[in-house]
Amino acid sequence: QQLRYREQQQRQQQFQHREQQKQQQPPQQMPRRQPQMLRSPSPALEASNAVVEFLKDAGLSTYAPALLECGFDDFDTLVEIEDSDLQELGMPAYQAMRLKRRLQDLVQNGASQAEELDTSSVVVTFLAGAGLERYASALLGSGFDDMESLVLIDEQDLRDLGIMRGHGLKLKKRLREYEEGRAAEVYPPPSSATWHSQQQEFGLQQQQQQQRQQQ
């Protein structure tokens, strides 16, 4: 019995000793989680690039950042993409086939529309120069059949016609350049010869006025 009593005493002392050590130790602080830095979106994606919208419609939006970073940021370069490029991007074969098929449909639709359009129309010529001839039929059918009406197109018209955001921005930019060029033709800056002749004429008028005052 004495042995048992001593063992109980020892266990109790050991337990108390451990408790005292725990109390003496400073409380452990949980490590604070560092706030996660949000990645800034790509400028090309923020600008609603037409390629991004095309990939969204095709269900391939996950590959948009990689394609844009590799320089496939417009349709002229995207339609020239090769199988080796798609493999380097890690695109599975079935998705690569879907992308190629969508691009082929896009090229064929643009070509068929171009054949049916009246190439003598100034609007068609303007859109072809901007690479936007695919929208010529829709614009002409909605009454935008001359430049006077086309320069008045607004954002609501672009949405109603189904013009993608990136293409709409491109069209508005080309229209501003067209208006600036037309204004320069209507009000051309005076040439150096014209300026000198105007100065001479002004000088003669000043001399004649001084002579009259002296008389």
Side-chain angles (χ1 to χ4, degrees):
Q1 291 178 353
Q2 289 180 354
L3 290 173
R4 292 179 183 174
Y5 178 75
R6 289 177 184 175
E7 289 176 357
Q8 291 177 357
Q9 289 292 326
Q10 289 177 358
R11 291 174 185 169
Q12 187 174 2
Q13 289 175 0
Q14 291 175 358
F15 177 78
Q16 292 177 353
H17 181 67
R18 285 196 297 268
E19 290 296 322
Q20 289 176 359
Q21 287 182 342
K22 288 181 180 178
Q23 292 177 1
Q24 291 175 0
Q25 291 179 356
Q28 295 182 355
Q29 295 182 353
M30 296 296 293
R32 297 180 60 183
R33 296 182 61 185
Q34 296 294 331
Q36 295 182 354
M37 299 298 293
L38 296 177
R39 294 180 61 188
S40 57
S42 171
L45 295 178
E46 285 183 348
S48 297
N49 187 285
V51 172
V52 177
E53 296 188 10
F54 170 80
L55 293 172
K56 286 181 179 179
D57 294 337
L60 301 170
S61 58
T62 54
Y63 299 100
L67 285 167
L68 296 180
E69 289 177 3
C70 293
F72 297 101
D73 52 359
D74 56 31
F75 286 108
D76 293 336
T77 55
L78 187 60
V79 295
E80 299 296 333
I81 196 168
E82 298 179 355
D83 294 337
S84 58
D85 300 320
L86 299 175
Q87 290 176 359
E88 290 180 2
L89 292 171
M91 186 178 293
Y94 72 95
Q95 291 183 334
M97 290 179 61
R98 186 196 309 171
L99 176 60
K100 301 282 282 187
R101 185 166 55 250
R102 289 294 186 97
L103 288 172
Q104 186 177 3
D105 294 341
L106 184 67
V107 173
Q108 290 178 352
N109 291 336
S112 61
Q113 290 179 2
E115 293 176 356
E116 297 174 357
L117 295 175
D118 182 10
T119 55
S120 63
S121 171
V122 64
V123 173
V124 175
T125 303
F126 173 81
L127 294 172
L132 300 171
E133 62 272 11
R134 72 192 67 182
Y135 300 110
S137 298
L139 287 166
L140 294 176
S142 299
F144 297 100
D145 50 1
D146 54 29
M147 296 304 299
E148 185 177 359
S149 59
L150 187 60
V151 295
L152 299 176
I153 197 168
D154 56 22
E155 295 293 335
Q156 185 62 45
D157 297 323
L158 297 174
R159 286 194 293 269
D160 293 341
L161 292 170
I163 297 177
M164 290 189 289
R165 174 69 175 166
H167 290 172
L169 294 173
K170 185 177 181 181
L171 176 60
K172 299 286 283 186
K173 178 184 176 183
R174 290 301 184 94
L175 287 172
R176 285 195 300 271
E177 293 174 353
Y178 169 80
E179 289 187 297
E180 292 171 358
R182 187 174 61 174
E185 292 177 359
V186 175
Y187 304 104
S191 61
S192 58
T194 303
W195 184 82
H196 286 301
S197 63
Q198 289 176 350
Q199 291 295 318
Q200 291 176 357
E201 184 178 356
F202 178 75
L204 290 173
Q205 291 177 356
Q206 291 290 329
Q207 290 178 359
Q208 292 175 359
Q209 186 176 1
Q210 291 176 358
Q211 291 174 359
R212 292 195 195 98
Q213 290 177 353
Q214 292 175 358
Q215 293 176 357

